[in-house]
Structures are given as structure tokens and as C-alpha cells.
């Protein structure tokens, strides 16, 4: 349901393309490309690149090519080619007929190599791989010229042709550009252009005995296709000089330009095809589409929606410096999206049987329950049956409950969600002393949320009716790794041994219906997705997509959300959840909000549900810009109000607006804004005073930042030693720790600079 904000946030690539277009560069054309190597499945990082390339092209009236960068015959396959196209489309982008293969350009690329040789810009070199490395020098030492560097043009042409014809052994010769062995940029020290390989290529078979290297093939493929903006990740920054050199020497007119952006990294996530291959090949996961994998195939099977991935790409933006995005950001986007699309139902993962001893065998109660809570504004009901036997979650019962236990225990009372209050009278155990059944009595007067004699029932439990429930396997997924930032070398040792728990449970009938929705929120448990692979085999299996937000228990157990009164016998059939029409007055408010304030439809749908909320939004919009106010109200304020049990009318809209304005001004980060809101709801007052008294303002004081950085380094001597031993990627780790020490208040760019300075010093 989430759609990108109506006015996408500015970023440097968008600005750059806009500027190129404005000055009429490339005749006003915008042509981008997504260039995967077909040697593995796409992952969530690729999703960012796909959204960016296809998104920019669409935005500027251009086109985006899907180009397979298939220049390495030994690792590529048709399976990967097909899978990549499938998931580009699944994400919501269609390359149409703009699907290309670098291997289709092999003949042209070879002609360019001949041109370079003829111009004296390339030569055949007979050094071994190892010698080439050695001759290249180091950061402190210039390289030495190859003894083959001054071969004549004629000899080079003859040898290159021989290489092409398979006359020389693999590894015996390469073609190199003749640039400068003393260039401070390593990539310019006579880079390799062609190598000999006798392997079978999945498209060109044995036609070619030589294959171009990435740097040579990539810039020329871009040129051949008339790409204008060649967007890639930061690790290719040093390749840009070579990219430009090669296109210049190949005499390309109006050449494309390369622009780099920061790749997407996520905490708690392994992200690289090489590592996925190990996970798959060594059997740590069930395959590329295991729902724990951050591959698009795995994410889809887990129940992640393309909308949430596109929203993530938009939210993380496009930066010029690498950073690690907290996976919680993605989980929240996902919940927001599923919240408005997944109907609610009840499922029990670890069933414990409850017998209502005062219920006559065969007697049943029918209860109509909504498929969506009122704030979602979507229609639909389902009918629950309550008979003599039901299942509750085994973890909702404790024989010797700890202090503050709000669920079931001997002698205690709880409410069944949408149902009545039950009391546990007797605990039945098996020969080994395990609890196998609870014998309870039901208080029928308490249907419909009625609490006679002011009786306070602490907990509300989810349940399913034993006679009508359908058996289902619930797969509870957790993070694949047990460290926030898995390290490259020993990530297998950092795997979470409890990343999958398989439960044989039960779901209410509406969830098990064959033609029902695939996404569900199992109440009190999380969002689940019907496993498409198992469903095809006729089995009922649900994958946990993501758990509920913290604080869900309190929400679910609020009596206000308890049941409508029971109706005798079966009532209305379930309405299809596809109907997304809003009630007329909500729809009128939604349309007005979108028209007047240019806010996103997703936010408007949430805000329009209550007149009070819309009023609050209007008031706040007088103080801050509406497109910034809208997501804050829809995503943050709504939840906080519910948590605090406060109607929107009791909160000052201008105070909410002020919080957003402070965020827009850079004074507050997202976490701080949430905190200010919580305190505002708790004790009133105004945001500026709260920020001042709680010290929540963003800090860019260099001394304070240096202090946090120093503390972060001091607290992690092991990582510091690994950094000094050459693991440069740990710089980001220290940035994260220092940000944490500042409770998120420090300016991230300033922290990054301070970490770099501290590590250099
Ligand atoms: P990995 O190193 O993760 O295995 P890759 O870079 O080798 O991936 P390619 O098939 O070469 O995978 O990538 C295709 C495109 O996707 C490239 O333009 C690359 O820059 C981009 N890309 C890869 N990983 C990410 C990421 N984490 N974030 C953003 N873009 C990415
Ligand atoms: Mg790559």
C-alpha cells in the first residue's frame, strides 16, 4: 500500500540528471542501465540500484536497459539470467525490449582492442599473473614497465589475433592498455583488457577464446548502447579514470559518464553473492529463496512486498558516502505496508488444548470479528466459532506465573480475543508431567467486552476453535546472523543457530481457505505470508515475515479492541479483502488532503480515517511543510496516540508541527523526534522546552563528537586491532558505535569525519 512520496526527495544524482537535461546534454536523452552479472540471484542491495536506475529514467522521460554483464564464462548461467529478469519485473519495473547482453558486443569490443593496438595504446604482455602484480608496485612505490611493453604494433596485432584464435595457452598472455606504470591510481598502471579462457560461455559457446575484463567491456557496452548516465557503486570510483580514458582512446563521440553512489548495506544482514553461494552450497539455508536470505527470491517468499522495497530505496536516499542502514528501518516500512494490506486472523503456533467444561458438547457460539481494525478503514469480517474445545498458545499459560503475569495460570482469568472471559480450573498432565490440557469454565456474560461487577481481566489471548481450525505449519524466522555487522571472513561462525523455528500449529478457517489472501497479521504474533512453494504442493505453511512492533501486547490487550457481541448462528460471509474502497466521508477527506497538500496517498489514507486526526494534521501543517508532517502523523503520531490511549483532539497540532519543523531544520533526528512526541503526550508542555530540558538536540560540537569517537575506539580494542591489521571496513563499525554513544544525536557526517581522523592519527 505504501507508494513513494509524491514529491521524491532530492539527491545528487537526481539533481545531476536534471541539470544535464536542462542544458541539453546528450540531446536531452536520459538512458540508464542496470548491469547485473548473471552469476547469482539479486539481493536487496540490487533492489536499490534497480529502483534508482529505472526510477531516474522514468522520472526524466528516458529509458533504462537491463544489461547482463556476462563477460565471465565460468560463473554465469541461464538460470540466473531468467531469475534476474523475473525479479526486476516483480519489483515493478519492466525493461520491455531493452534487454541486452555484453556478450553480444564481443565482436565490437574486439574491434576496439585492435584499434587501441594500432594506436599504440595497448600491447600483448607475457608476464604471469603473479609477475604482473609484482610489477604493478604498491601505494608507496611506482610500478615497473613490463618487458613486453614496447612490442611493435605489428607483433601486437599478430599476437592478439593468435590469442583470439586459441593459439596460446590459458594464462600465457594478456592484452593490456599502455597508460602509465607510475600513475598514483593503480587502475591506470597498464590495466588488463583481455585474457585467454577456453571455457564454455553459456551464450557464445566456444566461439571466443578470449574474454574482455570488466573495465574494458563495461564502458564500451555503455557506449554501444548509448547510455548517458552510467550509475554504479562507490567501489568503482577509482575505475572512473580508466572508464574515461578507454572511451576517449576508442574515440567514442558524446561518451557516457560514470557516477558513483553508496551501496546499500544493512545491519544484521550478509550481503554479497559470494557469501550467499557459501550459505547455499554448504547447506546453511534451504536455497537461494530461503526466506532468511536477503535475496529478492527469499524476501518475496518471506512475504516482503515490492512496495516496501521501493519505499526503502526512496527512504535511504542516495548518498556519496557508504554507511550501514539499520535493518529496523526496513522492518518498520514493511510493517507499515503490511498493516494496510494484511487482514487480521488468529493462529496458534504451539497449541495447548483448552476444554470449556461448562460448554455442552456440540454447542457453539458464532462471533463476527472484523478483518481490519477501524483505523485502517478497510471492510470485511470473518466468523469465529467457539465450541467446547479450543487451542491457545502454550506460552500463554504458566503453572507458576512470574510477577505481573497477564496471561493464563491456575485459577486465573483471561479474555479470549473477541470472545468471553475464561477461568482455568484444572491442569491436566501426561505421564512425564507435561501440561497437555487445561480445563476451564467460560463466563458467557462477558461476551462483547462486557465486564460485570467491574471485574478486571488482565490479559487477552488469541485462540482457535479446535473443531474447525486447520492444521498449519508456522515457520518463525529470525535473523540469519547473530551479530549486527557480520564480518567478511568468519560470517559462518556468526550464523544464528535459532534463525528458524518450525511449529505445527492451527489457523482459523478463513486463513486456511485456498483462495484467500496470502498476507495475514496473526494477532499478537506478527505478519505472516502463505509460502508460495508449499502452497503449490497443497500444504498450508506460513512464513513469519516480520514480528509486530514493540508494544503490540499492550495494544492487543486493550479492552476497547475486544469483541463485538456474538451473533447467533452464522452471519455474513467474509468480504473479499481486495476491496480497498474507503467509506465515503473518509474518501472525501483523503482526496482533499492529497489535492490540497500534495502528500502521499499512503499517508493520506491513514490520516483521513479520523476527522480529529485530519484536524491535527491541518494544524501541524501551518507550522511545518505538509509532505514532512504527513508521514510523521501517519507513521509515528497515530501509533503514539494509540499507545497513550489519547484521541487526537487532545493534542496540540501546532506542537506536532513544531516537532516536524525541528526535524526539518536538522535539530532533531528521527529517534529524537519520537522521544519528544512521547514526552509531549506524557507530560504536555512544548517541544522546544522538552528538547532543551532533555538535551535531545542534534550535536555537531567537534569536542563532544571527538569524545564519543574516542570512547567508541577505546571500548573495542579487538576491532581496532583488526582495523589496524587491514580490515578497513571496520571504520563504519566505529561510526555506528559512536553514534550510539551519542544516543543518535551526533551528526553522522561529522562522526564519520572524526572517526576517519582518529583512525588516521
Ligand atoms: P555483490 O558484490 O553483492 O555480489 P555485485 O556488485 O557483484 O554484487 P553485480 O551483479 O555486479 O553484483 O551488480 C549489479 C549492479 O548492482 C551493479 O551496478 C552494482 O553496483 C549494484 N549493486 C550491487 N550491490 C549493491 C548494493 N548493496 N547496493 C546498491 N547497489 C548494488
Ligand atoms: Mg560485481
Amino acid at each position: 500500500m505504501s507508494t513513494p512520496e509524491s514529491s521524491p526527495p532530492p539527491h545528487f544524482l537526481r539533481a545531476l540528471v536534471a541539470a544535464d537535461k536542462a542544458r541539453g546534454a546528450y540531446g536531452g536523452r536520459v538512458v540508464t542501465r542496470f548491469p547485473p552479472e548473471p552469476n547469482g540471484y539479486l539481493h536487496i542491495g540490487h533492489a536499490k540500484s534497480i529502483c534508482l536506475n529505472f526510477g531516474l529514467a522514468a522520472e526524466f522521460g528516458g529509458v533504462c536497459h537491463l544489461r547482463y554483464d556476462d563477460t565471465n564464462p565460468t560463473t554465469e548461467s541461464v538460470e540466473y539470467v531468467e531469475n534476474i529478469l523475473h525479479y526486476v519485473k516483480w519489483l515493478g519495473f519492466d525493461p520491455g525490449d531493452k534487454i541486452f547482453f555484453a556478450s553480444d558486443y564481443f565482436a565490437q569490443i574486439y574491434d576496439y582492442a585492435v584499434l587501441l593496438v594500432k594506436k599504440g595504446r595497448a600491447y600483448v604482455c607475457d608476464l604471469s599473473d603473479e609477475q604482473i602484480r609484482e610489477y604493478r608496485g604498491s601505494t608507496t612505490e611506482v610500478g615497473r614497465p613490463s618487458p613486453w611493453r614496447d612490442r611493435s604494433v605489428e607483433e601486437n596485432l599478430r599476437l592478439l589475433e593468435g590469442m583470439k584464435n586459441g593459439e596460446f595457452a590459458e594464462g600465457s598472455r594478456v592484452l593490456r592498455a599502455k597508460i602509465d606504470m607510475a600513475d598514483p591510481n593503480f587502475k591506470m598502471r597498464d590495466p588488463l583488457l583481455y585474457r585467454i579462457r577456453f571455457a564454455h560461455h553459456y551464450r557464445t559457446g566456444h566461439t571466443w577464446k578470449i574474454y574482455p575484463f570488466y573495465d574494458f567491456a563495461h564502458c564500451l557496452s555503455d557506449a554501444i548502447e548509448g547510455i548517458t548516465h552510467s550509475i554504479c557503486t562507490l567501489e568503482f570510483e577509482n575505475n572512473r579514470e580508466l572508464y574515461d580514458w578507454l572511451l576517449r582512446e576508442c574515440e567514442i563521440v558524446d561518451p557516457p559518464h560514470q557516477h558513483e553512489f553508496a551501496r546499500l548495506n544493512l545491519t544484521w544482514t550478509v550481503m554479497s553473492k559470494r557469501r550467499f553461494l557459501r550459505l547455499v552450497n554448504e547447506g546453511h539455508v534451504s536455497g537461494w529463496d530461503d526466506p532468511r536470505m536477503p535475496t529478492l527470491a527469499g524476501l518475496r517468499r518471506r512475504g516482503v512486498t515490492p512496495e516496501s522495497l521501493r519505499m526503502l530505496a526512496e527512504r535511504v536516499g542516495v548518498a556519496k558516502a557508504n554507511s550501514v542502514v539499520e535493518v529496523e528501518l526496513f522492518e518498520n516500512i514493511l510493517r507499515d505496508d503490511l498493516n494496510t494490506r494484511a487482514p487480521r486472523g488468529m493462529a496458534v503456533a504451539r497449541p495447548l488444548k483448552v476444554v470449556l467444561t461448562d460448554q455442552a458438547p456440540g454447542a457453539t457460539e458464532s462471533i463476527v470479528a472484523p478483518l481490519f481494525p477501524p483505523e485502517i478503514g478497510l471492510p470485511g469480517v470473518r466468523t469465529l466459532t467457539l465450541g467446547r474445545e479450543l487451542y491457545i498458545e502454550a506460552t500463554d499459560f504458566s503453572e507458576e506465573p512470574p510477577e505481573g503475569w497477564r496471561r493464563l495460570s491456575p485459577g486465573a482469568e483471561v479474555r479470549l480475543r473477541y470472545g468471553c472471559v475464561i477461568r482455568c480450573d484444572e491442569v491436566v498432565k501426561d505421564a512425564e508431567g507435561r501440561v497437555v490440557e487445561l480445563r476451564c469454565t467460560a463466563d458467557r456474560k462477558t461476551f462483547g467486552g462486557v465486564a460485570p461487577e467491574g471485574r478486571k481481566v488482565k490479559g487477552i489471548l488469541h485462540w482457535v476453535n479446535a473443531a474447525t481450525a486447520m492444521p498449519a505449519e508456522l515457520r518463525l524466522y529470525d535473523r540469519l546472523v547473530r551479530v549486527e555487522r557480520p564480518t567478511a571472513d568468519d560470517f559462518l561462525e556468526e550464523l544464528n543457530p535459532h534463525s528458524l523455528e518450525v511449529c505445527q500449529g492451527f489457523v482459523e478457517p478463513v486463513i486456511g481457505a485456498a483462495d484467500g489472501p496470502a498476507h495475514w497479521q496473526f494477532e499478537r504474533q506478527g505478519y505472516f505470508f502463505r509460502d508460495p512453494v508449499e502452497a503449490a504442493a497443497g500444504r498450508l505453511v506460513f512464513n513469519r515475515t516480520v514480528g509486530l512492533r514493540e508494544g503490540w501486547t499492550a495494544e492487543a490487550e486493550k479492552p476497547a479492541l475486544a469483541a463485538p457481541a456474538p451473533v447467533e448462528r452464522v452471519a455474513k460471509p467474509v468480504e473479499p479483502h481486495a476491496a480497498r474502497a474507503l467509506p465515503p466521508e473518509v474518501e472525501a477527506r483523503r482526496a482533499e488532503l492529497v489535492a490540497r497538500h500534495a502528500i502521499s496517498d499512503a499517508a493520506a489514507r491513514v490520516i483521513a480515517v479520523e476527522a480529529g486526526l485530519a484536524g491535527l494534521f491541518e494544524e501541524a501543517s501551518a507550522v511545518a511543510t505538509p509532505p514532512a508532517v504527513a508521514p510523521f502523523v501517519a507513521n509515528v503520531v497515530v501509533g503514539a496516540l494509540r499507545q497513550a490511549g489519547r484521541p487526537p483532539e487532545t493534542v496540540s497540532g501546532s506542537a506536532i508541527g513544531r516537532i516536524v519543523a525541528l526535524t526539518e531544520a536538522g535539530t532533531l533526528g528521527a529517534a529524537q523526534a519520537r522521544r519528544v512526541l512521547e514526552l509531549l503526550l506524557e507530560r504536555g508542555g512544548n517541544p522546544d522546552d522538552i528538547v532543551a530540558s532533555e538535551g535531545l538536540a542534534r550535536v555537531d560540537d567537534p569536542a563532544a563528537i571527538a569524545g564519543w569517537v574516542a570512547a567508541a575506539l577505546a571500548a573495542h580494542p579487538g576491532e581496532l586491532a583488526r582495523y589496524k591489521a587491514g580490515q578497513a571496513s571496520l571504520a563504519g563499525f566505529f561510526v555506528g558505535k559512536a553514534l550510539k554513544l551519542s544516543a543518535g544525536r551526533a551528526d553522522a557526517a561529522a562522526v564519520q569525519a572524526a572517526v576517519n581522523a582518529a583512525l588516521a592519527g
Side-chain angles (χ1 to χ4, degrees):
M1 201 22 260
S2 310
T3 50
E5 295 294 316
S6 37
S7 51
H11 59 66
F12 78 96
L13 284 174
R14 188 169 269 139
L16 192 141
V17 176
D20 279 351
K21 191 147 172 141
R23 68 181 168 83
Y26 304 110
R29 289 180 307 121
V30 174
V31 187
T32 57
R33 85 284 172 272
F34 172 63
E37 186 182 351
N39 62 352
Y41 281 40
L42 296 179
H43 54 61
I44 190 168
H46 293 117
K48 175 173 173 181
S49 178
I50 295 169
C51 292
L52 181 60
N53 280 296
F54 280 90
L56 280 174
E59 201 177 315
F60 291 96
V63 288
C64 178
H65 297 183
L66 169 60
R67 181 195 324 132
Y68 295 99
D69 177 20
D70 56 354
T71 53
N72 185 356
T74 50
T75 55
E76 297 159 2
S77 83
V78 180
E79 180 202 351
Y80 296 136
V81 168
E82 286 167 359
N83 188 269
I84 287 169
L85 177 61
H86 179 84
Y87 280 97
V88 168
K89 288 186 175 168
W90 176 76
L91 253 188
F93 302 99
D94 188 359
D97 60 355
K98 302 293 181 201
I99 300 177
F100 302 101
F101 296 83
S103 55
D104 285 346
Y105 311 139
F106 281 169
Q108 277 161 285
I109 294 172
Y110 181 76
D111 289 344
Y112 281 112
V114 171
L115 174 68
L116 291 180
V117 170
K118 285 185 176 160
K119 292 172 70 174
R121 296 299 197 201
Y123 62 96
V124 173
C125 176
D126 299 355
L127 292 180
S128 67
D129 283 354
E130 200 180 317
Q131 286 169 321
I132 288 175
R133 249 195 312 280
E134 192 191 309
Y135 274 64
R136 195 174 282 140
S138 67
T139 39
T140 52
E141 182 192 2
V142 299
R144 280 178 291 146
S146 157
W148 311 103
R149 200 168 195 261
D150 292 318
R151 275 177 160 152
S152 70
V153 168
E154 291 66 37
E155 188 182 6
N156 280 322
L157 282 176
R158 193 172 44 74
L159 291 174
L160 177 58
E161 170 119 31
M163 282 170 63
K164 182 179 81 143
N165 294 339
E167 289 166 19
F168 311 121
E170 276 193 352
S172 62
R173 302 201 144 103
V174 289
L175 182 74
R176 301 177 71 173
K178 191 170 179 177
I179 310 181
D180 182 358
M181 291 306 291
D183 199 302
N185 180 355
F186 265 43
K187 300 276 175 198
M188 300 298 277
R189 294 186 183 177
D190 289 9
L192 278 55
L193 305 181
Y194 264 111
R195 69 195 133 173
I196 301 170
R197 275 266 191 293
F198 294 146
H200 178 266
H201 185 281
Y202 77 102
R203 290 187 91 234
T204 59
H206 285 291
T207 309
W208 290 90
K209 315 293 180 207
I210 54 173
Y211 288 91
F213 279 94
Y214 168 85
D215 282 307
F216 195 42
H218 197 80
C219 62
L220 287 172
S221 303
D222 282 349
I224 291 165
E225 288 177 19
I227 300 297
T228 57
H229 298 82
S230 179
I231 297 167
C232 63
T233 38
L234 278 174
E235 64 271 23
F236 293 100
E237 202 169 353
N238 289 336
N239 302 56
R240 192 191 331 124
E241 204 179 345
L242 178 56
Y243 184 101
D244 292 340
W245 187 94
L246 285 165
L247 292 186
R248 197 166 58 242
E249 293 301 334
C250 290
E251 298 166 20
I252 302 295
V253 182
D254 210 6
H257 285 284
Q258 176 185 306
H259 309 279
E260 308 89 25
F261 73 102
R263 62 194 293 124
L264 173 67
N265 295 307
L266 287 172
T267 54
W268 305 99
T269 306
V270 172
M271 189 120 65
S272 119
K273 281 184 286 204
R274 240 172 342 101
R275 295 202 234 168
F276 297 159
L277 264 175
R278 289 196 62 191
L279 289 169
V280 172
N281 291 343
E282 296 174 24
H284 301 288
V285 294
S286 65
W288 285 98
D289 69 347
D290 185 299
R292 288 165 292 182
M293 294 276 273
T295 53
L296 298 186
L299 293 169
R300 169 182 166 260
R301 209 175 150 186
R302 186 159 176 156
V304 168
T305 58
E307 288 84 352
S308 62
L309 288 166
R310 296 204 299 264
M311 180 63 106
L312 175 72
E314 196 66 54
R315 287 268 188 92
V316 300
V318 179
K320 277 187 181 180
N322 276 324
S323 64
V324 182
V325 172
E326 307 215 327
V327 75
E328 289 84 356
L329 170 74
F330 178 51
E331 290 169 351
N332 281 333
I333 290 172
L334 185 55
R335 286 188 193 102
D336 283 349
D337 183 43
L338 293 172
N339 184 32
T340 57
R341 72 168 75 229
R344 276 49 169 182
M346 291 195 285
V348 169
R350 305 169 190 86
L352 172 60
K353 187 186 261 185
V354 168
V355 178
L356 299 178
T357 52
D358 55 347
Q359 191 94 347
T364 60
E365 206 80 60
S366 286
I367 305 164
V368 175
L371 283 173
F372 290 94
E375 69 270 21
I376 303 298
L378 290 176
V381 293
R382 82 248 201 205
T383 303
L384 304 169
T385 310
L386 179 60
R388 184 177 152 87
E389 294 189 351
L390 52 132
Y391 296 112
I392 64 165
E393 206 67 60
T395 47
D396 277 338
F397 173 77
S398 172
E399 213 177 355
E400 285 161 45
E403 189 84 24
W405 181 252
R406 293 159 61 103
R407 297 172 260 173
L408 202 55
S409 57
E413 289 190 328
V414 292
R415 179 180 287 280
L416 297 176
R417 181 106 164 115
Y418 304 113
C420 59
V421 171
I422 60 168
R423 188 185 63 227
C424 174
D425 305 317
E426 192 190 338
V427 179
V428 182
K429 297 181 180 177
D430 66 8
E432 273 106 64
R434 280 181 305 230
V435 177
V436 290
E437 184 181 303
L438 303 177
R439 300 182 75 78
C440 301
T441 37
D443 183 346
R444 299 177 43 86
K445 294 189 300 298
T446 59
F447 267 111
V450 179
E453 299 111 40
R455 182 165 59 201
K456 282 218 178 75
V457 178
K458 291 208 199 87
I460 297 186
L461 305 187
H462 62 274
W463 54 280
V464 292
N465 181 50
T468 49
M470 297 172 77
E473 184 170 304
L474 270 58
R475 297 182 182 166
L476 310 183
Y477 293 103
D478 201 343
R479 292 183 175 142
L480 187 55
V481 285
R482 56 183 165 72
V483 293
E484 195 175 330
R485 286 161 201 246
T487 51
D489 331 328
D490 41 17
F491 79 97
L492 287 179
E493 280 154 40
E494 296 165 344
L495 291 182
N496 173 8
H498 309 294
S499 59
L500 169 60
E501 186 188 351
V502 179
C503 299
Q504 302 305 329
F506 293 98
V507 296
E508 59 172 280
V510 66
I511 298 171
D515 53 352
H519 293 281
W520 284 92
Q521 185 196 104
F522 291 169
E523 303 200 38
R524 294 180 71 228
Q525 313 227 59
Y527 291 98
F528 283 73
F529 183 64
R530 184 195 288 246
D531 188 292
V533 177
E534 301 285 357
R539 293 186 59 213
L540 212 46
V541 173
F542 287 91
N543 298 322
R544 183 167 66 195
T545 313
V546 64
L548 296 174
R549 236 183 265 281
E550 271 175 68
W552 55 268
T553 331
E555 182 191 322
E557 290 178 3
K558 253 189 215 156
L561 289 178
V567 290
E568 293 310 323
R569 277 166 281 284
V570 176
K572 290 181 245 164
V574 174
E575 289 177 34
H577 119 285
R580 282 178 134 3
L582 298 172
E585 59 179 81
V586 176
E587 171 52 29
R589 273 199 295 270
R590 183 205 62 82
E592 199 195 329
L593 284 171
V594 171
R596 284 215 334 204
H597 297 291
I599 64 173
S600 79
D601 187 61
R605 275 175 179 259
V606 177
I607 295 170
V609 167
E610 280 180 70
L613 206 55
L616 185 81
F617 168 78
E618 295 283 355
E619 245 180 272
S621 292
V623 184
T625 47
V629 174
F632 188 69
V633 170
N635 301 335
V636 182
V637 176
V638 169
L641 289 176
R642 203 180 307 143
Q643 197 77 24
R646 298 260 302 262
E649 290 82 359
T650 64
V651 182
S652 149
S654 51
I656 301 290
R658 181 65 191 149
I659 298 176
V660 178
L662 288 169
T663 319
E664 289 189 286
T667 308
L668 293 178
Q672 284 68 39
R674 260 174 213 269
R675 184 75 194 127
V676 175
L677 176 67
E678 274 167 29
L679 292 172
L680 183 77
L681 294 179
E682 210 174 289
R683 42 169 127 126
N686 76 66
D688 290 273
D689 291 347
I690 295 173
V691 170
S693 66
E694 299 293 313
L696 290 167
R698 187 183 300 282
V699 178
D700 46 19
D701 168 33
I705 289 176
W708 286 315
V709 169
L713 298 190
H716 301 280
E719 281 79 3
L720 191 56
R722 294 225 304 275
Y723 176 85
K724 294 209 164 125
Q727 202 173 326
S729 59
L730 278 169
F733 167 85
F734 294 115
V735 173
K737 292 294 172 201
L739 279 173
K740 219 161 226 170
L741 286 174
S742 80
R745 290 175 303 152
D747 180 67
V751 170
Q752 179 130 29
V755 165
N756 290 343
L759 290 173

